[in-house]
Amino acid sequence: MNDIQEKISEELKAAREICSTEGTGSENCAAAWDAVEELQAEASHQREAEKPKTNFETYCDENPEADECRIYED
């Protein structure tokens, strides 16, 4: 996870530099910020994937027939 945070920092710095030299309306500036957004989205997805299961979720995985774990569909 630290690698992606470092990459985000690098891309932020690069985007700011590009936008300050070429202007905020340039295509390169927009592309640089798109790269930053993509990395931030990936970091968010990785954080979600790392989310540990709760004790209840673990219990339901082990005991799917338990009353507490039943899922009813409308």
Side-chain angles (χ1 to χ4, degrees):
M1 188 64 151
N2 286 337
D3 286 344
I4 198 160
Q5 292 299 334
E6 289 175 19
K7 186 69 175 164
I8 290 171
S9 295
E10 291 171 9
E11 290 294 326
L12 276 169
K13 183 179 177 183
R16 288 182 182 131
E17 186 176 318
I18 290 169
C19 292
S20 68
T21 57
E22 295 187 18
T24 57
S26 72
E27 289 183 21
N28 288 336
C29 178
W33 283 110
D34 284 343
V36 171
E37 286 181 22
E38 289 292 326
L39 286 170
Q40 288 173 334
E42 180 59 29
S44 176
H45 291 299
Q46 286 181 7
R47 281 192 298 273
E48 283 294 317
E50 293 175 1
K51 191 182 235 183
K53 287 188 175 186
T54 64
N55 289 335
F56 180 71
E57 290 170 329
T58 302
Y59 172 78
C60 286
D61 286 345
E62 294 171 359
N63 304 288
E65 72 286 344
D67 288 341
E68 300 87 0
C69 301
R70 292 187 180 176
I71 300 173
Y72 298 96
E73 295 182 19
D74 293 333

